[in-house]
């Protein structure tokens, strides 16, 4: 196999569109992979859509037909029989021409394509042209052609295209409907046979790992029909003939990176039942069997690993990986696997139906975060950016990422890193908040897309759940869709039939759930709290965040609360004078319906009403942190009845007021620190006394929640402490919790009932952690406005700031980005008792002014919001 890359420099030009497109009819330089927006930005042809109110000024780009063009030299590639144009990603409705001849048209951003073009190539100069239909008018046109728009959220009918849904704008996302060659493109030249697809599926039988490698092969003499959709249905081998003596040869060996992992020297050699082990690796082979039309073939090779080194989720054990090498003729495929089993328990019990993930038969309490595309321009999502975001998740004690269905099937950069670090992945199929037609005009795109996705992602041990859609089932049941859908398809056949059948066929090693939320019973609403998974959005939309405690869910797949991004991130793109929460450009960067009003309503009763933009910013961030921590600790206190949660959302795709924990610039918001605290594997939390518990009404329990994977037995000390540091009452209690379990003790009134709620806290210490429980809201506390003394020392990379409390200081936080946008800090939301200190380490800002780091808008605490 030889590949002639066509990545690099192209040109792009507007073909036709709105009047603004006329100025762009002359070709300008373009970079592939890329998109029109990044090309025009690079050439300074448009203002930055992220900045100010430029989003509206650049809407015409998504209404325009664009043409990419390049010439390349072709001198042939020896004696190869086939030359295929391979496009790994086209966004989205594309017409491909080679030397003036139409090769194909495509209609799916989520698929790769392969087309034989040997008959069109000529020695010397060749010209490749890819023309992209305007995505917004195309979605509207297709909707009208097929019976009118089906229900959807937001303002474009994105559900008429197989394209990244959030690319059309979301309640956190900018509307920049892109076009372009967004993944690699090139010509592959080959002869004989090529490996079309590999699914290396794993199992564990006792202590033996089992690898069953499914290999699909295409022959060079075929017509090319098999090639046109990468991920086509595999070829049935029953009754076929051997493929001209070809064998699929599989080699399995411990991955070399395992040597850096604890216990890696115990990774054993591998063998098969009929092949002896050789130097820690083994080769198994089976003949390739052709299908009836002899254009393609397949083979299934089974390998065994005695005393297998098992892959575990982060915090449960190590993540040993094995290299897999597949050879068919001269073609080679390489990948990695990890041996583990995964099941999802949704069987009815006395309380309804659980949603309990088990890996290697061990229950896993999910501490998750929802993932959206990390940049509105997908080609800006570099391996380094993926690594940074996954590190953000790990550092916040997150053990699962849910890849949300309004985005994309992510780059292998994400899944590979999750494999290596033990972060579990829940993968939505790409259907979100909309009804989707099941007629051939769309369904013919869905099936090959799904087959390709399942095949491509099947090697990754981190992937543990396939999910049919985001909120479409609950939308049908509760959002008023049914009257408008009488007689029309809306996607149910995908979620209940097509998708589970493809998963059962191609990847039966992982569980499938039809949707999120889902109750696993046809006679229940999909968002029933006692069954399966729920999404909790009534709190953000209309209720005080303490209403989280009105829910007793088995599993929370979405919940969230908004807050603004870092000050430097916000002010880099919002230029209102004066800066105001309801300023014109500020509202451009607030996409939620009545978002700022909901922020104001959410603060009421918790925090003082802000009187300046600086206080509004800090109060909104702090309230987001308080709301999420309150919800997380409540849900976790319901363990083991509650088996996990997935906060909305980890990341942002542009600078915006949103539910994200980490903003678009990569700055961890205060809510990130709240999540890190609430997601500790072993958590101590103070909650209302359980129903029927001893003590007066309004009593308190201390709950020990254990998601560590090992039993915990601790003597927990509980103290009632005045703001001046005086210990008013103290006692110790034994608590014991097995893995994925919790224990609780009801406190005596001397601890649970404060003498003065506004000037006392409850301090709980044990199990290597400490929790400070506030008896009152900030607005009702007698917090000092200036309870801190500081010292600052410059370092080569920033500074060290030590803060000492003279009286109780709640949620002490440092915001060095106000001094230097590149600066980062290692801690936040630290509550200090009188006499206690915390040291903040500021990095990424050599030469930063140390004294500026202790200014009143940089070093903040809850009391600084009080009048």
């Amino acid at each position: 196999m030889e590949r002639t890359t066509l990545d690099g420099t192209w040109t792009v030009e507007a073909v036709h569109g709105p009047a603004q497109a006329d100025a762009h009819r002359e070709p300008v330089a373009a970079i592939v992979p890329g998109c029109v927006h990044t090309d025009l930005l690079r050439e300074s042809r448009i203002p930055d859509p992220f900045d100010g109110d430029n989003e509206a000024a650049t809407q015409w780009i998504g209404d325009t037909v664009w043409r990419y063009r390049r010439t390349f030299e072709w001198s042939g590639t020896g004696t190869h029989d086939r030359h295929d144009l391979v496009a790994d990603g086209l966004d989205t409705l594309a017409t491909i021409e080679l030397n003036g001849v139409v090769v194909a048209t495509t209609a799916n951003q989520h698929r790769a394509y392969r087309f034989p073009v040997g008959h069109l190539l000529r020695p010397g100069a060749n010209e490749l042209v890819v023309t992209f239909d305007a995505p917004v008018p195309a979605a509207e046109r297709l909707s009208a052609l097929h019976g009118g728009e089906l229900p959807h959220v937001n303002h474009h009918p994105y559900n008429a295209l197989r394209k990244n849904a959030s690319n059309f704008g979301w309640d956190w996302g900018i509307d920049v409907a892109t076009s372009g060659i967004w993944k690699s493109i090139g010509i592959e030249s080959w002869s004989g046979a090529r490996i079309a697809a590999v699914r290396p599926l794993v199992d564990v039988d006792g202590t033996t790992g089992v690898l069953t490698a499914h290999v699909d092969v295409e022959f060079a003499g075929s017509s090319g029909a098999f090639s046109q959709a990468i991920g086509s249905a595999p070829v049935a081998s029953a009754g076929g003939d051997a493929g001209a003596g070809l064998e699929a040869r599989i080699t399995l060996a411990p991955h070399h990176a395992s040597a850096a992992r604890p216990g890696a020297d115990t990774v054993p050699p591998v063998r098969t039942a009929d092949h002896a082990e050789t130097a820690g690796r083994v080769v198994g082979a089976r003949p390739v069997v052709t299908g009836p039309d002899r254009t393609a073939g397949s083979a299934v090779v089974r390998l065994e690993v005695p005393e297998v080194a098992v892959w575990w989720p982060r915090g449960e054990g190590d993540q040993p990986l094995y290299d897999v090498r597949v050879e068919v003729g001269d073609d080679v495929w390489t990948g990695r696997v990890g041996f583990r089993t995964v099941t999802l328990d949704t069987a009815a019990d006395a309380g309804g139906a659980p949603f309990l993930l088990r890996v290697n038969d061990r229950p896993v309490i999910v501490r998750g975060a929802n993932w959206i595309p990390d940049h509105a321009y997908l080609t800006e999502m570099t391996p380094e950016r993926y690594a940074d975001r996954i590190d953000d998740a790990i550092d916040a004690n997150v053990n699962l990422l849910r890849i949300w269905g309004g985005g994309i099937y992510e780059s292998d950069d994400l899944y590979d890193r999750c494999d290596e670090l033990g972060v579990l992945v829940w993968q939505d199929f790409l259907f979100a908040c909309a009804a989707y037609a099941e007629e051939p005009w769309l369904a013919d795109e869905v099936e090959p897309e799904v087959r390709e996705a399942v095949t491509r992602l099947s090697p990754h041990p981190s992937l543990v759940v396939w999910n049919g859609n985001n909120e479409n089932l609950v939308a049908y049941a509760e959002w008023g869709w049914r009257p408008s859908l009488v007689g029309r398809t809306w996607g149910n056949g995908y979620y209940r039939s097509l998708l589970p059948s493809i998963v059962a066929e191609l990847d039966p090693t992982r569980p499938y759930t039809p949707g999120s939320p889902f109750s696993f019973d046809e006679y229940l609403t999909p968002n029933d709290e006692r069954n399966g998974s729920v999404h909790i959005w009534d709190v953000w939309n209309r209720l005080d965040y303490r209403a989280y405690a009105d829910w007793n869910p088995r599993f929370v797949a979405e919940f969230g609360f908004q807050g603004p991004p870092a000050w430097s991130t916000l002010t880099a793109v919002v230029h209102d004078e004066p800066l105001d929460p309801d300023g014109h450009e500020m509202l451009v960067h607030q996409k939620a319906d009545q978002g700022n009003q909901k922020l104001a309503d959410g603060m009421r009763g918790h925090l003082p009403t802000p009187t300046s933009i600086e206080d509004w910013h800090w109060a909104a961030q702090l309230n987001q942190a308080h709301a999420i921590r309150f919800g997380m600790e409540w849900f976790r206190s319901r363990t083991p009845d509650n088996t996990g949660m997935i906060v909305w959302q980890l990341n942002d795709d542009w600078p915006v007021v949103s539910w994200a924990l980490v903003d678009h610039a990569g700055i961890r918001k205060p809510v990130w620190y709240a999540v890190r605290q609430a997601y500790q594997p072993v958590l101590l939390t103070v909650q209302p006394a359980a129903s029927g518990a001893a003590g007066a009404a309004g009593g308190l329990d201390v709950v020990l929640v254990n998601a560590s994977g090992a039993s915990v037995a601790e003597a927990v000390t509980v103290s009632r402490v005045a703001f001046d540091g005086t210990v008013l009452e103290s006692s110790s209690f034994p608590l014991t919790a097995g893995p994925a379990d919790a224990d609780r003790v009801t406190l005596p009134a001397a601890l649970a009932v404060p003498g003065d709620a506004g000037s006392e806290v409850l301090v709980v210490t044990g199990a290597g952690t400490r929790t400070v429980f506030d008896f009152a809201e900030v607005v009702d506390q007698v917090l000092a406005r200036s309870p801190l003394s500081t010292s600052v020392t410059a370092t080569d990379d920033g500074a060290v700031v030590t803060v000492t409390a003279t009286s109780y200081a709640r949620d002490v936080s440092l915001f060095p980005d106000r001094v230097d946008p590149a600066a980062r800090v290692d801690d936040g939301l630290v509550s200090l008792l009188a006499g206690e200190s915390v040291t903040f380490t500021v990095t990424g800002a050599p030469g930063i002014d140390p004294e500026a780091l202790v200014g009143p808008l940089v070093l903040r605490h809850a009391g600084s919001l009080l009048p």
Side-chain angles (χ1 to χ4, degrees):
M1 179 80 72
E2 294 182 46
R3 183 177 176 93
T4 302
T5 183
L6 297 177
D7 295 345
T9 302
W10 291 53
T11 64
V12 67
E13 62 197 82
V15 178
H16 60 80
Q20 299 98 316
D22 291 343
H24 304 274
R25 292 187 181 277
E26 293 298 318
V28 298
I31 300 297
V32 169
C35 71
V36 170
H37 287 77
T38 55
D39 293 330
L40 296 180
L41 275 168
R42 188 183 305 108
E43 297 298 313
S44 300
R45 301 295 297 269
I46 58 170
D48 184 356
F50 290 7
D51 191 56
D53 60 0
N54 291 335
E55 178 187 13
T58 53
Q59 286 294 289
W60 61 272
I61 299 173
D63 294 333
T64 299
V65 175
W66 295 94
R67 179 168 291 146
Y68 280 77
R69 186 190 308 267
R70 72 159 291 168
T71 58
F72 62 95
E73 293 294 315
W74 181 258
S75 58
T77 55
T79 60
H80 287 301
D81 297 331
R82 278 277 294 273
H83 306 285
D84 295 342
L85 179 67
V86 179
D88 293 333
L90 300 172
D91 179 16
T92 291
L93 301 176
T95 299
I96 305 167
E97 298 173 81
L98 179 59
N99 294 326
V101 178
V102 174
V103 174
T105 59
T106 71
N108 195 326
Q109 182 181 15
H110 308 306
R111 289 173 57 186
Y113 294 90
R114 175 183 294 267
F115 304 106
V117 294
H119 59 296
L120 298 177
L121 291 167
R122 59 197 182 201
N126 289 255
E127 183 181 57
L128 183 62
V129 177
V130 185
T131 304
F132 292 96
D133 201 353
V136 175
E140 295 168 347
R141 182 179 70 250
L142 287 168
S143 293
L145 182 64
H146 297 288
E149 290 188 12
L150 289 166
H152 60 85
V153 298
N154 304 314
H155 51 289
H156 298 305
Y158 60 85
N159 47 337
L161 291 180
R162 296 310 297 155
K163 175 176 169 62
N164 171 12
S166 62
N167 193 221
F168 291 93
W170 216 261
D171 57 4
W172 40 258
I174 186 172
D175 183 355
V176 283
T178 55
S179 296
I181 304 170
W182 75 287
K183 291 187 178 182
S184 185
I185 189 170
I187 296 172
E188 291 187 357
S189 301
W190 56 286
S191 298
R194 73 172 188 90
I195 298 170
V198 176
R199 288 178 291 115
L201 305 182
V202 300
D203 195 6
V204 179
D205 182 4
T207 61
T208 299
V210 179
L211 174 72
T212 306
H214 300 257
V215 183
D216 296 332
V217 177
E218 183 184 13
F219 301 122
S222 67
S223 65
F226 182 87
S227 301
Q228 292 187 17
I230 295 175
S232 295
V235 178
S237 59
D241 298 324
L246 281 177
E247 284 189 327
R249 179 181 174 90
I250 314 296
T251 304
L252 181 67
H255 182 61
H256 64 84
S258 296
R261 294 187 174 277
D265 57 348
T266 65
V267 176
V270 293
R271 64 175 175 80
T272 61
D274 55 349
H275 290 79
E277 66 182 55
T278 305
R281 64 190 182 95
V282 70
V283 175
R286 290 291 182 273
V288 174
V289 178
T290 62
D293 61 2
R294 300 182 182 275
T295 63
S298 65
V300 179
V301 184
R302 187 177 188 272
L303 304 179
E304 294 180 356
V305 186
E307 302 303 321
V308 68
V310 176
W311 187 96
W312 288 98
R314 189 170 188 84
E316 304 281 342
D318 293 333
Q319 293 81 45
L321 298 171
Y322 289 78
D323 290 322
V324 181
R325 179 181 175 90
V326 180
E327 299 171 80
V328 176
D330 295 329
D331 202 6
V332 176
W333 178 97
T334 59
R336 298 183 307 186
V337 297
F339 287 92
R340 55 98 187 97
T341 63
V342 56
T343 58
L344 181 64
D345 180 4
T346 61
D349 60 20
F355 190 98
L356 176 59
L357 190 67
R358 286 193 175 92
V359 178
N360 302 322
D361 293 327
R362 184 184 296 175
V364 175
I365 301 299
V366 170
R367 292 166 282 132
N370 282 274
W371 172 281
I372 65 170
D374 199 50
H375 204 292
Y377 310 132
L378 298 178
T379 50
E380 300 301 298
M381 291 163 58
T382 62
E384 294 76 18
R385 192 171 178 93
Y386 277 112
D388 287 345
R389 291 297 81 73
I390 295 170
D391 287 349
D392 288 331
I394 288 172
D395 291 347
N397 294 311
V398 166
N399 67 355
L400 179 145
L401 293 175
R402 175 188 172 217
I403 313 302
W404 170 71
I408 61 173
Y409 304 108
E410 286 289 348
S411 165
D412 284 330
D413 293 325
L414 182 148
Y415 306 101
D416 285 344
R417 191 163 180 84
C418 289
D419 292 344
E420 295 161 1
L421 298 176
V423 179
L424 301 176
V425 175
W426 158 327
Q427 178 68 59
D428 281 10
F429 290 107
L430 303 184
F431 305 90
C433 301
Y436 290 83
E438 299 172 43
E439 285 70 35
W441 68 272
L442 195 64
D444 286 352
E445 290 295 331
V446 169
E447 180 168 356
E449 167 197 317
V450 171
R451 287 185 174 278
E452 178 181 337
V454 173
T455 298
R456 178 173 75 88
L457 300 182
S458 63
H460 294 286
S462 57
L463 177 58
V464 292
V465 175
W466 291 108
N467 177 55
N469 72 85
N470 176 75
E471 297 188 340
N472 295 344
L473 298 177
V474 72
Y476 182 83
E478 299 181 13
W479 294 5
W481 283 11
R482 291 182 63 191
S484 65
L485 287 172
V486 173
R488 302 187 70 183
T489 59
W490 55 276
N492 194 47
Y494 296 143
Y495 319 134
R496 306 300 183 95
S497 180
L498 178 67
L499 301 183
S501 68
I502 291 175
V503 170
E505 174 192 344
L506 300 183
D507 184 20
T509 68
R510 293 176 176 88
Y512 169 83
T513 172
S516 182
F518 190 64
S519 293
F520 297 93
D521 192 302
E522 295 300 318
Y523 299 98
L524 295 172
T525 177
N527 207 38
D528 181 78
E529 67 172 352
R530 303 308 302 151
N531 292 276
S533 59
V534 298
H535 292 190
I536 299 177
W537 286 112
D538 58 346
V539 172
W540 158 252
N541 283 310
R542 57 185 181 85
L543 300 175
D544 184 87
Y545 68 70
R546 290 194 170 271
Y548 282 129
D550 295 334
W551 286 78
N552 289 288
R554 306 302 296 269
F555 187 94
V556 187
E558 280 188 21
F559 72 108
F561 209 91
Q562 264 203 356
W567 182 263
S568 61
T569 304
L570 188 66
T571 56
V573 295
V574 174
H575 315 291
D576 297 317
E577 292 290 348
L579 199 62
D580 183 88
D582 294 316
H584 170 65
E585 292 186 7
M586 184 76 82
L587 292 180
V588 170
H589 294 81
Q590 164 59 279
K591 295 297 186 182
D593 180 40
Q594 302 179 58
N596 279 5
Q597 184 60 54
K598 292 172 183 176
L599 287 175
D601 291 343
M603 295 180 204
R604 194 170 296 116
H606 299 285
L607 300 174
T609 302
T611 57
S612 68
I613 185 63
E614 291 83 6
D615 278 1
W616 173 86
H617 182 265
W618 167 226
Q621 286 198 325
L622 182 60
N623 204 53
Q624 179 188 27
H626 285 178
I628 292 302
R629 184 172 180 179
F630 178 89
M632 283 184 167
E633 293 197 9
W634 168 256
F635 300 143
R636 290 196 68 189
S637 76
R638 317 309 294 170
T639 304
D641 196 47
N642 178 278
T643 57
M645 66 209 71
I646 311 177
V647 67
W648 186 272
Q649 66 212 60
L650 176 68
N651 54 331
D652 272 331
D653 75 343
W654 76 306
V656 65
V657 180
S658 82
W659 298 265
L661 312 183
V662 181
D663 75 17
H664 185 64
I667 299 178
R668 295 168 173 179
K669 295 159 64 172
V671 66
W672 183 92
Y673 298 99
V675 170
R676 182 175 67 175
Q677 295 162 8
Y679 269 178
Q680 297 173 85
V682 179
L683 172 71
L684 287 171
T685 180
V686 178
Q687 297 292 335
S691 175
L700 297 176
D701 284 357
V702 170
V703 187
L704 172 68
V705 186
N706 182 19
S708 69
S711 294
V712 176
E714 287 287 332
V716 174
T717 300
V718 184
S719 303
R720 185 161 58 86
V721 182
F723 281 8
D724 66 1
T726 302
V727 178
L728 304 172
E729 189 73 29
S730 186
S731 189
S732 294
F733 308 89
L735 287 172
T736 302
D741 207 348
D743 193 14
R744 62 198 304 141
V745 61
T746 298
L747 298 179
L751 286 168
V753 180
D756 180 359
S759 60
E760 299 174 18
V761 293
L762 204 62
V763 182
V764 185
T765 306
T769 187
R770 185 183 85 166
T771 292
V772 177
F773 174 77
D774 293 275
F775 285 110
E777 300 289 349
V778 171
V779 71
D780 298 318
Q781 288 179 311
V782 188
L783 295 166
R785 282 190 56 83
S786 301
L788 304 175
S789 63
T790 61
S791 65
V792 188
T793 303
T795 66
D796 291 342
D797 195 33
V800 173
V801 181
T802 299
V803 178
T804 302
T806 56
S807 66
Y808 176 58
R810 183 174 179 179
D811 297 316
V812 180
S813 300
L814 190 71
F815 298 99
D817 70 285
R818 282 180 168 268
V819 182
D820 183 339
R824 300 294 184 266
V825 66
D826 66 333
D827 209 349
L829 288 186
V830 181
S831 290
L832 298 174
L833 304 179
E836 292 184 336
S837 298
V838 63
T839 297
F840 297 105
T841 301
V842 176
T843 56
I848 196 170
D849 178 3
E851 293 306 314
L853 290 172
V854 294
L857 298 179
V858 179
L859 178 62
R860 303 217 61 164
H861 54 93
S864 64
L865 291 170
L866 295 171

